[in-house]
């Protein structure tokens, strides 16, 4: 008997992760904001590229692994920014794999000397594959033991479809930043079901972050507290905490993830280092839920790599920020 398939099927049935059609998420929501809010594309001071890798539940065979890559190119003469990205999400050890290629456009609105707003739109093409052969059900086990039991049948399928998102991000002189976004605007169908209720639900996000401490935003020691909220159908999460930046070279952070009912899901520890144009941030999700023997295995590793093509010495753009926005 394939224990890996048993675990995958149990998670399939108990959590509803696969059938519910919920999006993947990154714990490092600030450096990966380009994957969440298309308004970001016009905000960086120079072109930049990013890579992100997340491995959720590495202690069991039914892992959820997500890869992402992005490139953002601001064009100041047009008050605009362009972005492109790619994500590949492998769920349940390969039961579902979903790849998406995305193009973004954002327009930068300068309200006054202190306030700027990036408003953007993204369009994606998604390819989704469901492999039913990876599942093992009760009928398979009983029939292998010699009992006659009706088979449970799930057919494999492939789907491809367009997807659209909108969002804006506002910032005030680098000390305060907030934004909202909405994804899956057309509610595309990503399963074989023809029912409208089975289509991909809308996802809403919002965040606010700031800079605290020091005489100015370029001080050697600053705090960057932030709160991030996302909601998709009946699922919602809040990530809140702070990063601590030291000498423009090192970062440490502590974050909690919980639902709106304050049910704690994880404590996220992060650390980062920067040199010249390169930035690497690592985080580990410590599981706070009680799943008996599985509890110690339901964690997550996440790594983000950021590269800035042109370092602006004159303005001393901080490492760890994907632009002059706080917390990027």
């Amino acid at each position: 008997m394939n224990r890996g398939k048993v675990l995958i099927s149990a998670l399939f049935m108990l959590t509803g992760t696969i059938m519910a059609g919920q999006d993947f998420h990154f714990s490092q929501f600030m450096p990966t904001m380009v994957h969440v809010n298309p308004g970001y594309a016009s905000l960086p001071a120079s072109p930049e590229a990013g890579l992100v890798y997340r491995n959720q539940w590495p202690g069991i065979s039914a892992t959820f692994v997500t890869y992402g890559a992005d490139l953002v190119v601001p064009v100041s003469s047009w008050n605009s920014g362009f972005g492109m990205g790619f994500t590949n999400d492998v769920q349940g050890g390969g039961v579902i794999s979903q790849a998406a290629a995305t193009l973004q456009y954002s327009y930068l609105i300068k309200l006054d000397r202190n306030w700027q707003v990036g408003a953007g739109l993204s369009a994606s093409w998604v390819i989704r594959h469901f492999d039913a052969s990876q599942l093992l059900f009760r009928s398979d086990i009983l029939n292998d033991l010699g009992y006659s039991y009706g088979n449970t049948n799930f057919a494999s399928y492939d789907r491809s479809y367009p997807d659209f998102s909108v969002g804006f991000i506002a910032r005030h002189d680098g000390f305060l930043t907030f934004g909202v976004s909405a994804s899956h605007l057309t509610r595309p169908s990503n399963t074989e079901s023809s029912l409208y209720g089975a289509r991909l639900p809308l996802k809403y996000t919002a965040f606010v972050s700031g800079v605290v401490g020091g005489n100015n935003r370029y001080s050697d020691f600053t705090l960057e507290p932030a709160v991030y909220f996302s909601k998709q159908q009946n699922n919602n999460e809040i990530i809140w905490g702070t990063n601590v930046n030291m000498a423009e070279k090192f970062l440490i952070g502590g974050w909690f993830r919980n639902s709106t009912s304050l049910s704690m899901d994880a404590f996220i520890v992060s650390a980062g280092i920067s040199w010249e144009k390169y930035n690497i941030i690592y985080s580990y999700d410590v599981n706070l839920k009680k799943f008996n023997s599985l509890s110690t295995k339901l964690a997550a590793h996440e790594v983000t790599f950021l590269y800035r093509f042109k370092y602006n010495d004159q303005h001393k753009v901080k490492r760890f920020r994907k632009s002059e926005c706080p917390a990027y």
Side-chain angles (χ1 to χ4, degrees):
M1 185 183 301
N2 189 320
R3 295 184 62 190
K5 288 188 176 182
V6 173
L7 280 171
I8 294 171
S9 300
L11 291 167
F12 176 90
M13 300 301 292
L14 293 175
T15 69
T17 300
I18 296 174
M19 295 302 291
Q22 301 299 318
D23 288 1
F24 61 85
H25 69 268
F26 294 119
S27 293
Q28 297 177 31
F29 63 91
M30 295 187 294
T32 60
M33 185 59 67
V34 67
H35 293 286
V36 178
N37 193 320
Y40 175 77
S42 62
L43 294 176
S46 61
E48 56 190 35
L51 298 172
V52 60
Y53 167 81
R54 179 177 176 84
N55 188 344
Q56 187 164 321
W57 302 353
I60 61 178
S61 58
T63 56
F64 291 70
V65 180
T66 306
Y67 308 86
D70 63 87
L71 173 66
V72 175
V73 180
V75 183
S76 58
S77 59
W78 294 355
N79 288 330
S80 299
F82 300 88
M84 62 180 64
F86 173 80
T87 57
N88 186 35
D89 186 38
V90 181
Q91 305 175 22
V95 177
I96 285 180
S97 59
Q98 180 170 296
T102 301
L103 294 177
Q104 296 180 341
Y105 171 76
S106 176
Y107 185 76
L108 185 63
I109 305 169
K110 299 179 181 180
L111 301 179
D112 57 31
R113 292 182 57 187
N114 296 318
W115 281 100
Q116 294 179 320
V117 178
L121 169 70
S122 70
S124 304
W125 187 258
V126 183
I127 300 175
R128 180 181 177 91
H129 173 69
F130 173 70
D131 185 4
S133 66
Q134 296 290 329
L135 299 175
L136 184 65
F137 294 98
R138 180 183 181 187
S139 58
D140 302 315
I141 299 174
L142 292 177
N143 287 329
D144 288 343
L145 293 176
Y147 298 95
S148 178
Y149 196 90
N151 290 326
T152 302
N153 295 316
F154 276 84
S156 300
Y157 64 83
D158 293 283
R159 298 280 294 180
S160 59
Y161 54 88
D163 200 6
F164 302 93
S165 302
V166 296
F168 81 86
I169 297 177
R171 67 182 181 191
H172 180 271
D173 196 29
F175 290 97
L176 176 67
T177 307
F178 62 90
V180 297
S181 68
S183 304
H184 316 309
L185 298 179
T186 59
R187 293 203 60 192
S189 175
N190 65 347
T191 70
E192 292 292 90
S193 174
S194 60
L195 298 175
Y196 182 79
R199 295 168 66 175
L200 195 59
L202 288 167
K203 179 180 178 179
Y204 304 97
T205 73
F207 80 96
V208 59
S209 66
V211 176
V212 179
N215 296 325
N216 57 65
R217 56 177 296 199
Y218 306 117
S219 298
D220 287 344
F221 182 90
T222 58
L223 300 178
E224 296 189 66
V227 178
Y228 171 83
F229 169 77
S230 69
K231 178 177 176 57
Q232 189 174 25
Q233 203 167 15
N234 296 324
N235 291 341
N236 59 75
E237 71 173 13
I238 300 173
I239 303 177
W240 56 278
T242 188
N243 283 331
V244 180
N245 299 306
M246 298 170 288
E248 299 190 7
K249 295 293 183 183
F250 304 101
L251 172 151
I252 57 173
W255 305 83
F256 286 97
R257 181 171 60 240
N258 54 264
S259 66
T260 53
S261 63
L262 300 183
S263 174
M264 288 295 175
D265 178 66
F267 178 68
I268 304 162
V269 181
S270 59
I273 186 171
S274 172
W275 71 101
E276 296 181 351
K277 302 176 183 179
Y278 304 93
N279 308 269
I280 295 180
I281 306 173
Y282 168 79
S283 66
Y284 179 76
D285 295 17
V286 181
N287 176 53
L288 298 181
K289 287 186 175 181
K290 295 181 179 180
F291 284 112
N292 298 324
S293 61
L294 285 178
S295 183
T296 58
K297 300 180 180 181
L298 300 183
H301 301 277
E302 189 170 309
V303 180
T304 302
F305 170 79
L306 308 176
Y307 177 83
R308 202 173 277 110
F309 285 92
K310 180 181 179 181
Y311 187 82
N312 192 334
D313 290 316
Q314 181 180 356
H315 293 89
K316 295 182 65 178
V317 178
K318 274 194 162 186
R319 75 293 142 274
F320 297 126
R321 294 178 188 156
K322 296 198 67 181
S323 74
E324 294 185 19
C325 295
Y328 290 88

